[in-house]
Amino acid sequence: MSKKIFNRYISLFFIIYFFAGLAIYRDFGVGIEEHFHRQNGFYWLIRILSFLNFDITNSYLDLANIKYQEILASSTLPNINYFNFYGIIFDVPLALIETVFSINDSKIYFELRHLSIFIIFFLSSIFFYKIINLRLKYNIFIFLGLIFYIGSPRIFGDSFHNNKDILFLSFLTISVFYLFNFFKHKNNINLILFCLFSALASSSRIMGIYLPLIFFIFQFIEYLSEKISLKNYLNQILKILFFFILFLYLHYPYVWEFNFFEISKWFKSFFFWMDIKILFNGDYYPIKYLPRFYLPLWILITTPVFLSILSIFSIYILSKRFFMRVINLKRSPLSNSDFWSSNSEKYDVFILVSFLSFLFFAIFLNVAMLSGWRHFYFLHLFISYLSIVGLYKLYIIFRKKINLRFIFVISILMTISLFYSNITFHPFQSLYFNRFLGNEYVKNFQVDTPSLSRSEALKFIYEYENESKILNVGNASWTPLRNGADMLPDDYKNNFIFVGHELKTADYIYTNFIYKSDEKYNKSYNIPNNFKKIKELKINNVHIYSIYKKIVK
C-alpha cells in the first residue's frame, strides 16, 4: 500500500475515533480529583481576573466569585493554598467557559471537562502517530503502534475523565514529537514548540522538567562526538533555557512567586504522603512504606499482557545494543564513536533511557504513590513505543520465516483483543485488570480508586426505588460519595441525603471497597445485619461496587 493511500486510511481512522469519543464521553462517572481541579480553576481565574481589572473582566469576576464560594460551601475539598502547585492550563479555561456561558448544571460542566480532556488526548494520538511514523517505515507497524497508544483500556478510559495524568501524558507526547523532529531537522520552530509543550507538561506534572534536562544531555553527547560545535551546543542551551522559562512564566502562576534557589520545594509533591493505608498484593501498607515492586507490578497487571511482553523484549534488545555501543567507546576515541548510528536509534535510546530513569526513580526514591500507577500513566507513551518497536524487532529477526501477512494477522488479533477489553469494561475501562495473575488475584488490590462507580450506583438507587422520595444513602468506603451525584440530573440528586458512615440511619449503602485502613479492623465499613445486597457489579471478576438496601420488617 502506498503512503498516500495509507494516510487516507489513517485520516479515516482518526475521524471514526473522534466521533466514537463524542458518542461515549457522557458515559463516564466523575473522578475523585475532578472537584478539586474545578476549584483550582476558579481559584486562579479569580486571581487572574482581579489582576487584569478591566471592566469586561470585572463582570465575570463577580460571577466567578459566586461560583467559587458555592464550591467552598458545598464540599470538603483540600485548602487550595496548600496545593497551589498544580497547573492551570486546563482548569482555568474550563472555569472561564463555565463562567462566561453561565453553566450551572453540574452534569453539564463535568461532561464538558470530560469532552475537553478527550479532545486533548485525541490530538496527542495524532502526534504519537507522527512519532512512530518517524521511527518505522512499515505501515502495519505504524498503525498498530497507534492502536497500542489509544487502545490500552486504562488509558482509553482515563482519557475521558482524568484531566491531570492524561493531560501530562498528552503534553509529554507532543513534546517528544517536537524533540524528535528537532533531532531530524534542527530548526528554531521545532525547538520553540518543544519548549512550549515541555513547559505545559511541566506545569501539569513537575516531572516534565526532565524534558529540557535530557535535551541538554543528548546534545552534549552530540558535542562530544563532534557532531555539533561547542558554539552550536551553547546556543541551543541558551535558547532552550530562555523559551522554556518564558513559556513557564506565561502560564504557570506557581512560578511567579517561586524562589529558584529553593527549587527543592518544587519536588515536595512527590514525597507528600497521606495518612492512609492502601491494599496492595493482599496486605495494607502505609503509603510511605510501599514495597519497591509496587509500580512495576501495577503496570504488569493492568496493561494488556502482549504490550508488557513486547515492551520487555524491546527493553532487552535496545539495552543490549546500547551496551555494545558503550563498549565500543572504550576501543576508540569518543569523536570516532557513536551512542547511536542514526536518528531512529537515537529515538530508541531516548525512549529507553526515559522509561528506565522514571521507573528507577519511582522504585528507589520512595515516591508517594496511590491509586495504582495513575500518577505514572505518562509511562504509557514509552510502553507503547517500546511495544511496537519490540514487535518490529521480532519481525526483523524472523523475517526469513515470516512475512508481513503474518504480522497483519497478529495485528488484527491484538486490535480485536483491545477492542473487546474496552467494550467489556465500558464505562469502567479505567479499572481494567488483565489475567496475567488469574482472576482471583484481583481481590488483593484496590480497584475503583478513581471512584468512577459512584455516579452509576446513585443512578441505580434512584431508579430502583421507582418513585421520587428522599433517600438516606450511606457510604461503606473511604471515597466521598456525595460528589458522585454531580453527574446526575437535578431531579435525581435532589432526592439524596448523604449520611456518610452513619450506616444505621441509611436506606441504602454503597461501597466500592476502597478503605482508608484494613476493613477487618475498621468497623465503620461493616454493613449492618438488617441490609441485603441488591446490586453487585463485576466485570471479568473485577469487583467494582455493591449496593445494599435496608430490610423493612
Side-chain angles (χ1 to χ4, degrees), residues 154 276-285 287 294 298 301-302 370-372 430-431 433 441-450 478 512-519 542-543:
R154 286 213 166 210
I276 61 173
K277 294 181 178 181
I278 58 175
L279 177 64
F280 173 72
N281 203 29
D283 294 306
Y284 277 86
Y285 295 90
I287 290 179
Y294 177 86
W298 262 108
I301 64 178
T302 59
L370 71 164
S371 301
S430 299
L431 315 182
F433 282 79
Y441 195 69
V442 177
K443 296 178 181 178
N444 294 323
F445 299 86
Q446 292 178 333
V447 175
D448 187 21
T449 53
W478 180 61
N512 64 347
F513 316 101
I514 304 298
Y515 308 119
K516 187 177 180 181
S517 57
D518 195 334
E519 71 274 18
V542 177
H543 202 167

Side-chain angles (χ1 to χ4, degrees), residues 12 106 111 129 145 213 252 267 274 315 346 350 352-353 357 359 388 390 400 440 445-446 495 497 511 516 530 532-533:
L12 178 61
S106 62
E111 286 178 347
Y129 160 74
L213 297 178
Y252 191 21
F267 298 92
M274 299 174 66
I315 290 170
K346 189 176 182 180
F350 173 87
L352 177 68
V353 170
S357 298
L359 195 63
I388 197 59
K400 291 183 178 180
E440 292 300 315
F445 299 86
Q446 292 178 333
N495 285 276
I497 295 177
T511 180
K516 187 177 180 181
N530 60 332
K532 68 174 181 179
K533 187 187 294 182

Side-chain angles (χ1 to χ4, degrees), residues 120-170:
I120 292 172
F121 181 73
F122 168 80
L123 293 174
S124 81
S125 70
I126 296 175
F127 284 91
F128 184 80
Y129 160 74
K130 290 175 176 286
I131 290 173
I132 300 302
N133 209 16
L134 285 174
R135 174 62 181 86
L136 302 173
K137 63 180 181 179
Y138 291 108
N139 294 338
I140 186 63
F141 291 103
I142 295 171
F143 176 73
L144 190 58
L146 177 61
I147 294 296
F148 287 173
Y149 181 78
I150 292 172
S152 187
R154 286 213 166 210
I155 303 302
F156 180 81
D158 271 48
S159 70
F160 290 94
H161 64 84
N162 186 341
N163 50 249
K164 184 162 60 178
D165 305 296
I166 296 300
L167 186 69
F168 178 54
L169 167 64
S170 300

Side-chain angles (χ1 to χ4, degrees), residues 250-313:
L250 286 177
H251 84 282
Y252 191 21
Y254 182 66
V255 302
W256 297 347
E257 300 176 353
F258 184 75
N259 184 351
F260 277 92
F261 293 103
E262 300 177 348
I263 196 167
S264 61
K265 291 183 178 180
W266 205 351
F267 298 92
K268 273 190 172 181
S269 59
F270 278 125
F271 307 101
F272 175 76
W273 298 286
M274 299 174 66
D275 185 24
I276 61 173
K277 294 181 178 181
I278 58 175
L279 177 64
F280 173 72
N281 203 29
D283 294 306
Y284 277 86
Y285 295 90
I287 290 179
K288 192 174 183 178
Y289 301 106
L290 291 172
R292 299 289 187 189
F293 60 94
Y294 177 86
L295 179 61
L297 183 57
W298 262 108
I299 293 174
L300 281 174
I301 64 178
T302 59
T303 299
V305 175
F306 57 83
L307 288 184
S308 296
I309 293 173
L310 288 172
S311 58
I312 291 171
F313 173 74

Side-chain angles (χ1 to χ4, degrees), residues 206-390:
I206 187 56
M207 289 171 282
I209 201 172
Y210 101 99
L211 285 162
L213 297 178
I214 200 168
F215 175 89
F216 299 159
I217 294 171
F218 269 63
Q219 293 307 98
F220 183 67
I221 293 172
E222 295 273 71
Y223 160 68
L224 293 178
S225 301
E226 297 186 358
K227 293 181 178 179
I228 60 173
S229 66
L230 178 60
K231 179 181 178 181
N232 284 339
Y233 174 66
L234 294 176
N235 185 43
Q236 291 172 10
I237 296 301
L238 290 175
K239 287 179 181 178
I240 287 286
L241 287 173
F242 173 77
F243 285 109
F244 177 75
I245 295 174
L246 172 66
F247 290 134
L248 208 58
Y249 264 95
L250 286 177
H251 84 282
Y252 191 21
Y254 182 66
V255 302
W256 297 347
E257 300 176 353
F258 184 75
N259 184 351
F260 277 92
F261 293 103
E262 300 177 348
I263 196 167
S264 61
K265 291 183 178 180
W266 205 351
F267 298 92
K268 273 190 172 181
S269 59
F270 278 125
F271 307 101
F272 175 76
W273 298 286
M274 299 174 66
D275 185 24
I276 61 173
K277 294 181 178 181
I278 58 175
L279 177 64
F280 173 72
N281 203 29
D283 294 306
Y284 277 86
Y285 295 90
I287 290 179
K288 192 174 183 178
Y289 301 106
L290 291 172
R292 299 289 187 189
F293 60 94
Y294 177 86
L295 179 61
L297 183 57
W298 262 108
I299 293 174
L300 281 174
I301 64 178
T302 59
T303 299
V305 175
F306 57 83
L307 288 184
S308 296
I309 293 173
L310 288 172
S311 58
I312 291 171
F313 173 74
S314 183
I315 290 170
Y316 167 73
I317 292 295
L318 299 184
S319 298
K320 181 180 177 181
R321 185 180 66 188
F322 184 67
F323 179 74
M324 295 306 297
R325 295 284 187 193
V326 174
I327 293 291
N328 289 333
L329 291 177
K330 298 179 180 179
R331 299 173 182 171
S332 60
L334 186 60
S335 59
N336 296 325
S337 304
D338 286 309
F339 282 97
W340 42 78
S341 62
S342 64
N343 278 329
S344 293
E345 201 170 315
K346 189 176 182 180
Y347 305 154
D348 293 347
V349 173
F350 173 87
I351 295 294
L352 177 68
V353 170
S354 298
F355 178 74
L356 293 180
S357 298
F358 280 118
L359 195 63
F360 292 149
F361 168 75
I363 292 173
F364 295 110
L365 293 185
N366 198 22
V367 174
M369 286 185 284
L370 71 164
S371 301
W373 63 294
R374 177 171 60 82
H375 298 136
F376 282 82
Y377 274 174
F378 66 92
L379 294 180
H380 177 68
L381 163 63
F382 309 128
I383 292 170
S384 300
Y385 181 101
L386 290 168
S387 297
I388 197 59
V389 169

Side-chain angles (χ1 to χ4, degrees), residues 475-477 500-503 517 519 521-527:
N475 181 19
S477 62
H501 293 163
E502 301 297 324
L503 303 183
S517 57
E519 71 274 18
Y521 307 107
N522 193 334
K523 297 185 182 299
S524 64
Y525 300 131
N526 292 346
I527 307 296

